Amino acid sequence: MHADIRAAFAQQGDWNRRLGAPFTARLCDRLGVVLDHGSATGRAVLGWPGDAFGDALMLRLTGGLNALVRAGALPGLAAHYPPNKAGDDAALDAALRAALSDDRLLLWLESAPQTNEVGRSGVLMPGLLTIAAATGLALELFELGASAGLNLRLDHYGYDLGGAVFGPADAPVRLAPDWQGPPPPAADVRIVARRGVDLAPIDVRDPAARDRLLAYVWPEQTARVARLEAALAAAAADPAPIDAGDAAAWVEAHVAPVDGRCGVVLHSIAFQYFPATTKARIAAHMTAQGALATATAPLAWLRYELEDASGALPTLRLTLWPGGEDRLLAHAHPHGASVQWL
Ligand SMILES: C[S@@+](CC[C@H](N)C(=O)[O-])C[C@H]1O[C@@H](n2cnc3c(N)ncnc32)[C@H](O)[C@@H]1O
């Protein structure tokens, strides 16, 4: 079991290196070496009864360490965190051993990481442009797996999408993904209503909930950290409404064609986490309601999702009713860093 857990930390390190997080990669490498039974946290991690990857055990621990560093509670370890240099292995190992004796980390082992990646608005927005251009109508958004609802507020952000520059001049967040292909359609995206659902919504008005979300962003990815801080601060003053619950019953209760607007069900990197019955019920409801849609009461289903575990990039797909045509719009980096528009 211990060898497995140490190997899982090394494997997580490889993942983080590939995902452009070399500092967190190194933390995972060193944690795999320094964890021992001398601390309650070390015992809990090395004796983990479940699947370390399935439970995101390594990210629970790095999230907890990052949270304590961000809060100023581990100054010894903070000296090795960005923007400082991590230092040599011996110094980093000593700081990690000291940090692991902080029993506040045990709380972080109890729950899975939660994220809300604002960069994904840079992929969802060109999807909304496509819908607005095709229908000429205002949009009502229904987001599934909305987390803190930051991507439901995407019309508050500024954009440069393949040279198409738009958004409020005072936008708290500006998104300019590395763009390949033609620019997205030009259209006026007017959002007349928005609402989301999540099994465990994050209340952006709660400072502790905001800190928790920030703790799971890898600290060397400073642009993502800054973007999330800015989006959270803006959302705290004007949160998007998110209901708590499973997405299937919520879609069935809320989504139907309405004259004069286009209903848009959208989700990003969430569908893979839904149970099979939830996915099937959502698809069945969309097909049934799509059959009732008209040119003045259309329905759209916009999905920015990982299609399989092959390592291929997530896709952006759109089904638009009436008609129910399914279109592949783009391939995109999982955090929205790049978009290949088709
Ligand atoms: C990886 S997060 C993505 C959050 C957000 N869509 C984003 O792109 O940043 C997946 C979210 O799906 C939510 N979720 C998982 N299963 C769900 C379900 N059955 N119904 C509703 N939400 C669910 C989780 O709570 C989590 O907030």
Side-chain angles (χ1 to χ4, degrees), residues 114-118 120 124 143-148 151 197-202 245-248 267-271 273-275 278:
Q114 272 196 297
T115 53
N116 196 186
E117 178 51 61
V118 189
R120 294 182 188 142
L124 292 167
E143 192 188 2
L144 315 184
S147 186
N151 292 323
V197 65
D198 198 285
L199 267 188
I202 292 165
D246 179 75
H267 42 85
S268 57
I269 319 296
F271 215 64
Y273 299 102
F274 298 176
T278 297

Side-chain angles (χ1 to χ4, degrees), residues 1 5 18 35 47 59-60 64 67 80 87 97 112 130-131 153 155 216 233 261 271 281 291 303 328-329 331 334 341:
M1 175 60 79
I5 296 284
R18 262 180 268 166
L35 278 162
L59 299 181
R60 291 182 191 210
H80 300 270
R97 280 198 185 91
T130 306
I131 297 166
R153 303 182 75 259
D155 51 335
Y216 293 118
R261 61 174 69 166
F271 215 64
R281 278 171 64 185
R303 291 103 66 199
L328 174 63
L329 298 179
H331 298 274
W341 192 254

